[in-house]
Amino acid sequence: MAENTNLQEQYRKKKNKEEMKQQVITFVLMILFTVIAFGMVIYELDKLFVIPTLLILAVVQVGFQLYYFMHMSHKGHEMPALMLYAGAFVAFLTVLTLSVLIWW
């Protein structure tokens, strides 16, 4: 019984260490993306390059926030993830609908 508890403790420590490593790497990447975004704007690069690149960096950072810092990748978070994605989909449809109405 004590051996089983010891193995569970070792597994938990290993899992926590791996998760912390992933969070630190993600945090460093997010800081790097932010520095890149500021650099592109400060150096006044071409808008046709900057705007799509900023949008891509923003989407990647949102993904990092959801999956690593809000723990959406863990088991048991299926319903909150579903609600979040449904809300994002409804927001996208609303923006798309209003954009089409304004343009036509």
Side-chain angles (χ1 to χ4, degrees):
M1 186 70 161
E3 183 179 318
N4 190 18
T5 305
N6 189 24
L7 287 175
Q8 288 176 345
E9 182 70 22
Q10 287 176 353
Y11 174 74
R12 188 183 62 78
K13 284 183 180 181
K14 183 178 178 181
K15 188 175 177 183
N16 287 345
K17 182 179 177 181
E18 184 64 32
E19 186 173 333
M20 182 59 75
K21 180 181 170 184
Q22 288 177 347
Q23 286 190 349
V24 169
I25 290 170
T26 303
F27 180 73
V28 169
L29 284 173
M30 289 174 58
I31 296 295
L32 180 66
F33 290 169
T34 302
V35 169
I36 290 170
F38 275 113
M40 287 189 309
V41 172
I42 288 171
Y43 289 114
E44 299 178 0
L45 298 177
D46 184 29
K47 287 184 180 180
L48 292 176
F49 171 73
V50 171
I51 292 173
T53 305
L54 288 178
L55 290 174
I56 290 170
L57 290 175
V59 168
V60 170
Q61 283 195 8
V62 166
F64 282 164
Q65 285 285 333
L66 290 175
Y67 283 98
Y68 291 105
F69 293 115
M70 294 180 69
H71 307 289
M72 286 292 188
S73 61
H74 291 173
K75 290 181 181 177
H77 291 163
E78 292 82 16
M79 185 54 80
L82 175 67
M83 293 298 168
L84 188 87
Y85 296 138
F89 181 69
V90 168
F92 171 76
L93 284 180
T94 303
V95 170
L96 181 67
T97 302
L98 292 175
S99 297
V100 168
L101 287 175
I102 289 171
W103 284 340
W104 284 352

